[in-house]
Amino acid sequence: MGQPLNIGIVGAGKISGAYLSTLEKLTSVRLTAVTDLDRGRAQAVAEQVGPQVGVVDSVADLVARDDVDAVLNLTIPAAHAEVALAALAAGKHVYGEKPLAANRKEAGAVLEAAATAGLRVGSAPDTVLGTGTQTARKAVDDGLIGRPVAATAFMTTAGHEKWHPDPEFYYQPGGGPLLDMGPYYLSALVHLLGPVVKVTGASSRPRTERVIGSGPRAGHTFPVEIDTHVTGVLEHADGALSTLVMSFDIKAARLPRIEVHGTEASLSVPDPNGFDGTVEIHRGDDWHLLPVSAGYRDGGRGVGLADLADALAADRPHRASAELAAHVLDVMLTLMDAAEQDRALPVTSTCERPAPVDGH
């Protein structure tokens, strides 16, 4: 596959640890530089990885380095597009945490810049490239459930303030259950059933205030500025309908994460926030386990970056693509618009259904 792709990390916060544990196992990528607003955090990453990793003071310094081929963008969501555009302007490929950008305009600018420069942009989540979602996808593609008719996707929790010491950003514009967790579920649904063409939805805000439940600020009350329970119906290009519920207002539930229903059988699909999990099929008698048949095994965050590196070497499309991420962002924003306007709305963007991941 040739020389590994040299990676520079922007952002050395908590999520970087998950990426580092994966990157150290991969041969197609090599970490060479890191920067963070807190130089101490960047230094800690460099010390963990080894002396080949340079610590630099800014994004501009990092993207200017000759030993950086691609930027791993692990900044806060509000900075995703800014960092991506800086990297692309410097001639570097980009792979970033979700979401691709904060809004459609920023996402479009990233896609346009990448196309103009002839560079690759990838985006999390890459969990859907693991054995859980991909084994389920192979079952759909192989016709085991017949023609797909419907799907359900549920993410229900009582709220992140129960465990997060500084949860306010989850309840401000740009936050909420849909934008926070929706990328996992919608990316999985696109892999399973294809792009979305129309949405309808409703949302609510049962509480105007929340109370921090842990950490040094436990007991502190803060305002809720966005809707915290979102439900919608998504129409896929091939006609299947997905019902989606994303909530920070449910104390407990026994709802499945994702199910896909066809004319011949139903599939139980594991949590798309994980790489693996059990896939089961029901043909009318009982649930039966499907053996792992596809997907990156023993995956971790960063597999999508490795897939991008391999795609560059093989001159093929990468799977965790900016086009998919932009479509997922557009679906979420259109669903929020539909809920606000109380009517069905078309989704004007689309994307290619990513290629499946064969068993590895």
Side-chain angles (χ1 to χ4, degrees):
M1 298 295 288
Q3 294 296 315
L5 195 69
N6 291 326
I7 305 300
I9 291 180
V10 178
K14 185 175 181 181
I15 193 63
S16 65
Y19 278 87
L20 291 174
S21 64
T22 302
L23 295 182
E24 67 183 9
K25 305 172 187 175
L26 302 172
T27 59
S28 57
V29 296
R30 176 176 59 197
L31 184 60
T32 56
V34 60
T35 188
D36 190 275
L37 293 174
D38 182 342
R39 186 178 176 86
R41 294 198 304 192
Q43 189 66 47
V45 168
E47 291 174 357
Q48 176 183 340
V49 177
Q52 77 275 13
V53 180
V55 177
V56 296
D57 293 327
S58 68
V59 174
D61 291 339
L62 184 137
V63 300
R65 288 174 66 107
D66 292 336
D67 64 347
V68 170
D69 303 316
V71 170
L72 176 55
N73 183 5
L74 304 181
T75 57
I76 62 173
H80 284 178
E82 179 184 357
V83 172
L85 290 170
L88 292 167
K92 313 298 183 182
H93 306 289
V94 182
Y95 183 91
E97 254 301 314
K98 55 91 181 166
L100 175 66
N103 53 55
R104 297 181 183 92
K105 182 177 179 181
E106 289 184 353
V110 171
L111 290 175
E112 182 178 356
T116 300
L119 295 167
R120 302 286 187 111
V121 177
S123 176
D126 54 5
T127 49
V128 294
L129 304 181
T131 56
T133 298
Q134 291 297 314
T135 293
R137 173 175 176 165
K138 189 174 190 305
V140 173
D141 290 351
D142 288 350
L144 298 189
I145 67 169
R147 178 175 60 83
V149 173
T152 56
F154 301 110
M155 193 294 299
T156 59
T157 177
H160 292 347
E161 74 275 12
K162 303 298 181 184
W163 57 270
H164 200 292
D166 298 295
E168 285 92 339
F169 69 97
Y170 287 113
Y171 299 91
Q172 296 168 351
L178 181 61
L179 291 179
D180 177 40
M181 296 300 294
Y184 298 102
Y185 289 79
L186 287 167
S187 295
L189 289 173
V190 172
H191 269 271
L192 292 164
L193 299 173
V196 177
V197 296
K198 186 169 67 175
V199 300
T200 187
S203 63
S204 64
R205 191 182 315 179
R207 286 177 281 169
T208 59
E209 292 184 336
R210 299 259 176 159
V211 180
I212 297 176
S214 64
R217 301 171 62 221
H220 174 76
T221 300
F222 63 92
V224 176
E225 301 177 28
I226 46 86
D227 287 355
T228 51
H229 184 96
V230 181
T231 184
V233 177
L234 320 175
E235 181 179 333
H236 295 267
D238 287 344
L241 300 177
S242 291
T243 301
L244 183 76
V245 175
M246 303 275 120
S247 183
F248 286 166
D249 292 295
I250 294 180
K251 296 292 186 183
R254 294 177 174 174
L255 296 166
R257 296 298 187 177
I258 294 179
E259 289 183 348
V260 182
H261 306 283
T263 54
E264 303 298 329
S266 293
L267 279 179
S268 174
V269 185
D271 186 350
N273 194 17
F275 284 85
D276 51 18
T278 299
V279 179
E280 295 180 297
I281 190 167
H282 197 299
R283 297 183 175 89
D285 52 354
D286 201 354
W287 290 103
H288 299 281
L289 177 69
L290 284 179
V292 170
S293 59
Y296 288 109
R297 296 172 185 262
D298 302 318
R301 281 166 170 78
V303 164
L305 176 59
D307 183 82
L308 186 152
D310 293 342
L312 277 169
D315 192 26
R316 63 163 173 83
H318 57 287
R319 294 178 175 92
S321 69
E323 290 75 15
L324 170 61
H327 178 61
V328 165
L329 176 64
D330 188 30
V331 172
M332 294 189 296
L333 296 177
T334 305
L335 176 53
M336 294 169 67
D337 291 342
E340 182 178 353
Q341 298 174 28
D342 193 25
R343 64 191 182 101
L345 291 175
V347 177
T348 57
S349 68
T350 190
C351 67
E352 294 291 331
R353 190 174 175 224
V357 182
D358 296 331
H360 284 72

